[in-house]
Amino acid sequence: MTYFPEEVVEHIFDFVGSHRDRNTVSTVCKAWYQVERLSRRTVFVGNCYAIRPERVMARFPGIKSLSVKGKPHFADFNLVPYDWGGFALPWIEAAARRCPGLEELRLKRMVVTDDGLELLARSFPNFKSLVLISCEGFSTDGLAAIATYCRGLRELDLQENEVEDHGCQWLSFFPDSCTSLVSLNFGCLKGEVNGGALERLVARCPNLRSLKLNRAVSVESLNKILARASHLVDLGTGSFAVDHRTDAYHTLMNSFPKFKSLRNLSGFWDASPCCLRAVYPVCTNLTVLNLSYAPAIQGDDLIKIICLCFKLQKLWVLDSIGDKGLAVVASTCKELQELRVFPCDIYGAGTTSVTEEGLLAVSSGCPKLNSLLYFCYQMTNAALITVAKNCPHFTRFRLCILDPGKPDPVTNQPLDEGFGAIVRSCKNLRRLSLSGLLTDQVFLYIGMYAEHLEMLSIAFAGDSDKGMIYVLNGCKNLRKLEIRDCPFGDIALLKNVAKYETMRSLWMSSCDITLGGCKALAAKMPRLNVEIINENEETDEFEENLSDLHKLEKIYVYRTVAGPRNDAPDFVWTL
Amino acid sequence: SPLQQTQSYSSSQQLRTGPVEFPARLREMEDVKGSDGLGDTELRLGLPGTSTATRSAKRALPEGDEESHDELRRTSAAKAQVVGWPPIRSYRKNSFPGRKVEAEAAAGLYVKVSMDGAPYLRKIDLGVYKGYKELREGLDNMFKCFSLAELSRREGGSGSEYAITYEDKDGDLMLVGDVPWEMFISSCKRLRIMKGSEARGLNSRH
């Protein structure tokens, strides 16, 4: 290969797509490192504190697409304090200085500010795509800046962000000359948008294929939009609630048949069963259906719509679907790959919900099922063992039994055998979340069998340090381990310290880790940041009574070449 | 009503998630250093020979906590107070109208309340109030034994001159009532009931 001129090597590298392969290729020799870094177009940074942004931009000056992730996953469940970190601005600034050719930016769980968005909008003349997932810290003013300055913007995709509402005018900032939008998702915005501006924007973007409206968009407005956007592939419907005696309802009923290309439907926030009928004409072509934000649609109406969706590949639904509804899914949706069942009633005694029966039905009826997120009130080992037999292709298996530490209700046994069967059978399992009553045994199984496991989430499980040690010693491909409320202590933490450098991160909260244990870890592994998150109000008192035996509420350990971070708030210590 | 919810809570077959103290209490009861093979001699709550004491049996209702009516009102939400459980994104939880938002310990919903001249502080849960009016009533109720009106009269002011102030996320002392309620409860770190004379300085900025 060294006989080939650089252009040829570069051309060969064009065929090397995945991040991992490109990373490997760059380590072969200096020449390859150089060619690779100059020809790299996409960079993915899984932990924004693992490396400084300047270093990334310096190494890859030609990047067109950058993805960065910030807070640890448990931030989704409010376990990470509000101002822990994960700031996007340093990344935007570094890219603005070094990589002006940037076209795409994708941020997840980061703090993004309006200033950052404005800098972004002004710095990259070819900017095409902004995707923000579970971010916060910005307002509609920042969106106005994006609309104003990003000529040629193709994609603005806002998923589940906390956006401060500063008014409805931001949409109007898209100039009349903006006709390039392909994807617009503002479903997470809480406030109104300017209806007229939205309709005009949709009308002048002939390439618009994905449009996800927020709850504030009424059916009247939706009707006008649908009249202009018959090429949509992906639609988030907005509120979707209207009195069936109105003209708007009748218009809605007649709007959908013309959508020959529509494949994804979501939204439905206030949808009633009446209104849901409007989409029946397109159900037979649907591949993705998200009804998980539609609590007014109960079991029987869910069944009516699902009956029609025989091409469905991805279904997100509330547990009001019941085992009965899942049986219908099993008999209708033979192409189903991903199923997510969310709880309707988080605080109640569990009225209609799903049990192991529903999961069993889907596992036997849907041979292509490979991704599951299932909230339920009970699960049995027998069911899990059968599910494992029926579905050996799971890549993602997340089961959440709502009552922490609940055993198999039939046998009163822990669910070790059930989950054991899952990891034994599903050889390609990459992501696993456990729940229910679990002993160290399940971790023995996971360590032994889950060879491709990359992410493991554990809560209220295990008996002793052995559990965590089995996992750390076993799972060769483990990248992210997150643990809460388990009896794992310093012995487990320190048993296999080298492992943490092969992983992206470790999160442990409400376990038995002490300050002394963390100090020992930090001393042994200088290339890890061992962060202690201490939200105790009496911080001064804490600093003085610094016993090594003091148990720590939350720790976050991650490999890094950037050293301790300089933007950590007071309550975060990096040892 | 909260009482109804409490009833359904206790009538369920399995004891549901206990109070916030649950994980810590659990570990106090067990000797967790079992990895040196002394498993059989570990202190457990279960019978010897059982592989594990079921966690559900350990999850008792709070004992020795003040069984005030306040506590009872919150018992129904007690199972929601295990922070971050069930693992559902706040975005999703907040999407359903009329659902009570989980009373997390994190974002400062429990705040200390001090009153100038009072010998000890109180702690309140901002999450149980619907707005400023209820908050004022609650504080009035809580501190009336120190007689707010009495206090300000002694200082030479008229009967009802006290000001409720709070410390926000940035550490600044702010007058309660300026910002929307939701914004207030997410940024309030602690409350301080001030004498009218001191508060006038704050008021004069407006």
Side-chain angles (χ1 to χ4, degrees):
Chain A
M1 281 285 284
T2 46
Y3 310 124
F4 292 156
E6 277 185 10
E7 303 82 54
V8 176
V9 176
E10 187 181 319
H11 184 66
I12 296 173
F13 286 178
D14 275 349
F15 297 98
V16 180
S18 86
H19 297 292
R20 269 181 223 172
D21 289 342
R22 288 203 74 120
N23 291 345
T24 312
V25 143
S26 68
T27 60
V28 167
C29 63
K30 279 213 169 83
W32 282 28
Y33 175 87
Q34 281 292 74
V35 175
E36 199 283 316
R37 74 171 253 267
L38 294 172
S39 62
R40 178 93 82 136
R41 296 291 167 255
T42 312
V43 169
F44 167 73
V45 179
N47 174 4
C48 65
Y49 291 119
I51 185 166
R52 289 196 203 283
E54 298 75 32
R55 234 178 115 168
V56 175
M57 310 308 162
R59 179 173 167 187
F60 303 113
I63 52 167
K64 295 218 161 71
S65 168
L66 175 65
S67 287
V68 187
K69 288 183 168 183
K71 298 184 195 182
H73 173 238
F74 274 177
D76 284 354
F77 317 128
N78 290 17
L79 288 176
V80 178
Y82 171 75
D83 33 6
W84 171 83
F87 303 107
L89 190 60
W91 291 88
I92 299 173
E93 283 173 339
R97 270 194 294 271
R98 293 281 218 141
C99 307
L102 193 70
E103 295 180 6
E104 294 176 13
L105 183 63
R106 194 185 163 100
L107 302 175
K108 187 167 182 180
R109 280 190 214 101
M110 296 193 78
V111 177
V112 181
T113 59
D114 287 342
D115 286 342
L117 288 175
E118 180 160 351
L119 179 63
L120 171 71
R122 288 182 189 265
S123 306
F124 307 106
N126 292 334
F127 198 74
K128 296 197 171 62
S129 162
L130 178 63
V131 180
L132 300 178
I133 305 172
S134 298
C135 295
E136 60 187 351
F138 62 102
S139 76
T140 47
D141 291 344
L143 299 179
I146 298 289
T148 310
Y149 299 110
C150 295
R151 303 292 150 99
L153 188 72
R154 290 208 199 133
E155 177 174 29
L156 178 60
D157 187 358
L158 307 171
Q159 298 177 30
E160 300 192 355
N161 303 291
E162 280 294 324
V163 185
E164 222 174 280
D165 182 33
H166 286 184
C168 63
Q169 295 308 321
W170 66 274
L171 255 183
S172 320
F173 283 84
F174 280 107
D176 290 339
S177 54
C178 172
T179 58
S180 48
L181 276 181
V182 173
S183 165
L184 176 63
N185 173 7
F186 57 91
C188 60
L189 294 190
K190 291 182 266 239
E192 304 263 330
V193 289
N194 183 320
L198 176 59
E199 290 149 35
R200 286 191 296 278
L201 181 63
V202 170
R204 66 177 182 272
C205 292
N207 296 325
L208 192 68
R209 294 293 171 267
S210 171
L211 178 64
K212 291 186 175 157
L213 309 170
N214 69 346
R215 192 176 193 163
V217 176
S218 65
V219 165
E220 286 84 355
S221 201
L222 176 66
N223 281 337
K224 291 194 202 134
I225 291 164
L226 293 181
R228 316 275 216 158
S230 49
H231 296 295
L232 282 180
V233 172
D234 184 1
L235 173 67
T237 65
S239 148
F240 219 66
V242 73
D243 190 309
H244 65 271
R245 293 162 295 187
T246 57
D247 286 338
Y249 174 79
H250 291 289
T251 314
L252 186 68
M253 286 302 130
N254 294 319
S255 290
F256 281 87
K258 67 172 185 202
F259 282 92
K260 304 291 177 221
S261 319
L262 199 56
R263 296 286 173 272
N264 295 13
L265 274 179
S266 58
F268 299 110
W269 271 289
D270 302 304
S272 63
C274 257
C275 295
L276 198 60
R277 274 205 282 270
V279 303
Y280 285 3
V282 293
C283 284
T284 51
N285 283 327
L286 285 185
T287 53
V288 175
L289 179 60
N290 182 355
L291 286 165
S292 66
Y293 288 100
I297 311 288
Q298 296 288 307
D300 287 337
D301 296 298
L302 283 171
I303 289 174
K304 280 194 207 131
I305 187 172
I306 286 167
C307 268
L308 304 168
C309 301
F310 56 86
K311 286 194 195 151
L312 212 56
Q313 294 174 13
K314 190 155 119 168
L315 174 65
W316 291 24
V317 82
L318 291 171
D319 63 0
S320 47
I321 191 174
D323 289 335
K324 193 166 141 218
L326 288 178
V328 175
V329 172
S331 57
T332 313
C333 309
K334 297 301 182 187
E335 301 297 314
L336 196 69
Q337 296 177 26
E338 175 176 323
L339 174 67
R340 294 194 192 191
V341 180
F342 295 95
C344 232
D345 187 9
I346 306 169
Y347 308 113
T351 45
T352 329
S353 71
V354 297
T355 69
E356 70 274 13
E357 296 299 326
L359 181 58
L360 269 170
V362 176
S363 75
S364 70
C366 304
K368 297 188 183 176
L369 192 65
N370 60 49
S371 174
L372 181 77
L373 172 59
Y374 198 78
F375 285 85
C376 58
Y377 286 88
Q378 63 180 51
M379 184 53 58
T380 64
N381 279 312
L384 284 175
I385 290 168
T386 310
V387 167
K389 235 188 317 223
N390 292 341
C391 291
H393 303 299
F394 274 121
T395 53
R396 295 184 196 86
F397 190 88
R398 293 192 281 166
L399 180 66
C400 180
I401 301 164
L402 285 156
D403 210 346
K406 182 167 177 170
D408 179 328
V410 172
T411 63
N412 224 40
Q413 291 297 302
L415 291 174
D416 302 332
E417 296 307 313
F419 280 105
I422 294 284
V423 294
R424 247 200 310 275
S425 163
C426 304
K427 311 240 186 283
N428 290 321
L429 194 67
R430 293 197 313 263
R431 185 170 179 182
L432 178 64
S433 295
L434 307 170
S435 58
L437 181 63
L438 296 163
T439 72
D440 289 343
Q441 185 69 13
V442 73
F443 300 112
L444 176 65
Y445 291 143
I446 292 172
M448 270 170 66
Y449 296 111
E451 282 186 5
H452 290 107
L453 193 65
E454 296 177 3
M455 182 169 177
L456 179 62
S457 309
I458 310 171
F460 303 104
D463 302 315
S464 75
D465 290 320
K466 279 194 279 205
M468 184 169 162
I469 293 171
Y470 291 142
V471 171
L472 292 175
N473 286 347
C475 304
K476 288 198 290 278
N477 286 301
L478 194 64
R479 291 195 291 127
K480 288 182 280 186
L481 180 58
E482 46 185 27
I483 304 172
R484 62 162 297 176
D485 293 280
C486 296
F488 304 143
D490 296 338
I491 294 177
L493 182 71
L494 296 169
K495 194 71 173 190
N496 186 355
V497 294
K499 177 77 174 175
Y500 304 127
E501 267 190 16
T502 69
M503 290 165 52
R504 184 186 300 170
S505 65
L506 167 71
W507 168 278
M508 291 181 78
S509 56
S510 304
C511 297
D512 290 333
I513 305 294
T514 70
L515 182 57
C518 282
K519 283 184 180 171
L521 177 61
K524 284 192 194 170
M525 304 294 292
R527 283 192 301 198
L528 298 178
N529 275 355
V530 179
E531 283 190 12
I532 295 170
I533 298 167
N534 173 44
E535 298 163 273
N536 200 325
E537 272 179 42
E538 289 83 36
T539 338
D540 292 335
E541 199 184 295
F542 176 76
E543 282 186 47
E544 279 173 32
N545 302 340
L546 222 48
S547 159
D548 276 5
L549 295 173
H550 182 99
K551 287 216 179 130
L552 299 173
E553 186 54 31
K554 298 177 184 175
I555 68 165
Y556 184 48
V557 178
Y558 54 91
R559 67 180 176 191
T560 179
V561 294
R565 54 186 178 112
N566 52 16
D567 62 2
D570 287 338
F571 54 82
V572 173
W573 291 10
T574 308
L575 291 178
Chain B
S1 84
L3 276 176
Q4 278 174 348
Q5 278 178 282
T6 311
Q7 278 160 16
S8 68
Y9 175 106
S10 56
S11 69
S12 61
Q13 285 181 346
Q14 291 276 52
L15 284 174
R16 296 207 178 273
T17 319
V20 183
E21 296 84 46
F22 154 66
R25 183 171 300 162
L26 195 59
R27 271 182 294 291
E28 281 165 33
M29 291 172 176
E30 286 189 289
D31 173 1
V32 294
K33 292 187 175 47
S35 58
D36 53 357
L38 292 174
D40 289 319
T41 61
E42 282 176 30
L43 293 171
R44 289 184 186 280
L45 281 191
L47 295 171
T50 55
S51 57
T52 176
T54 55
R55 283 176 192 269
S56 51
K58 288 179 188 171
R59 225 172 306 117
L61 288 167
E63 63 209 5
D65 287 350
E66 331 117 313
E67 282 294 341
S68 64
H69 65 271
D70 275 43
E71 211 55 45
L72 215 68
R73 180 159 41 108
R74 277 197 285 279
T75 307
S76 59
K79 57 186 160 153
Q81 280 184 1
V82 177
V83 176
W85 191 267
I88 296 173
R89 289 187 181 173
S90 333
Y91 175 79
R92 178 171 288 280
K93 276 197 281 226
N94 296 343
S95 293
F96 294 109
R99 304 277 174 197
K100 181 180 185 296
V101 174
E102 194 171 312
E104 305 280 2
L109 283 178
Y110 276 91
V111 297
K112 289 182 186 168
V113 187
S114 63
M115 189 168 117
D116 291 357
Y120 53 82
L121 279 62
R122 300 297 301 269
K123 210 157 195 188
I124 61 169
D125 173 7
L126 291 176
V128 310
Y129 301 106
K130 292 202 194 64
Y132 288 117
K133 181 159 166 291
E134 284 87 358
L135 174 65
R136 274 179 212 282
E137 283 167 3
L139 288 175
D140 208 32
N141 224 29
M142 194 180 264
F143 285 93
K144 63 175 182 264
C145 43
F146 304 122
S147 181
L148 291 165
E150 175 68 39
L151 188 69
S152 62
R153 260 199 295 278
R154 259 190 262 134
E155 298 298 316
S158 72
S160 57
E161 267 181 43
Y162 60 91
I164 308 177
T165 64
Y166 70 102
E167 188 184 309
D168 71 359
K169 276 199 277 262
D170 302 319
D172 295 323
L173 191 64
M174 313 283 291
L175 191 67
V176 162
D178 286 342
V179 300
W181 176 254
E182 291 299 327
M183 195 187 289
F184 164 69
I185 61 175
S186 68
S187 59
C188 171
K189 286 275 162 219
R190 59 190 292 162
L191 285 165
R192 181 180 156 198
I193 303 174
M194 274 175 134
K195 290 176 268 203
S197 48
E198 272 197 58
R200 241 167 270 136
L202 213 60
N203 278 328
S204 67
R205 287 214 310 250
H206 298 276

